[in-house]
Amino acid sequence: KRCHKTLEECGHRCPGLCGEQCPSQRSCPECARGGALDASSAEQVVDFIMFAALRDHEVQDDDPGTCLVELECGHALTVEFMDEQAGLSRFYTKGESGEWAAAVPLPSLDEEARSGS
């Protein structure tokens, strides 16, 4: 779920996830579009799946995958891209509305022995 707080530095709505630390202004898509950020910040790629720059990225209220996570280095990435890079779909199933629903059952020791793993 998208965060409902506002960023202290600029007053725009937080582009992050509810419960996570809000990113800094340099990860604000609205500031990037409005010219409040330098070109390198506004042009940083936040979604390597769609190759979308921060200034072109739209955070959707109904799609938490579009929310941004700011890394310690200051770069921002979409939750969807981070989930893909972490391989979460190998370990969790998604519900009907796209949320992570449950852990994938681990194979039993007998199954692993039969498959040669």
Side-chain angles (χ1 to χ4, degrees), residues 1-76:
K1 179 172 158 177
R2 184 176 178 188
C3 181
H4 289 286
K5 296 179 182 176
T6 56
L7 299 178
E8 292 180 21
E9 298 166 280
C10 63
H12 293 129
R13 184 167 172 200
C14 175
L17 288 171
C18 184
E20 297 288 329
Q21 182 175 341
C22 292
S24 66
Q25 179 185 7
R26 69 176 173 229
S27 295
C28 176
E30 292 183 56
C31 285
R33 281 190 287 280
L37 302 180
D38 60 61
S40 65
S41 294
E43 294 169 6
Q44 70 172 305
V45 175
V46 295
D47 184 346
F48 285 92
I49 296 169
M50 301 300 293
F51 291 100
L54 179 63
R55 70 167 179 268
D56 300 323
H57 183 68
E58 292 287 337
V59 180
Q60 305 295 319
D61 288 343
D62 61 346
D63 184 359
T66 63
C67 292
L68 298 175
V69 175
E70 188 176 75
L71 306 176
E72 287 184 25
C73 65
H75 194 93

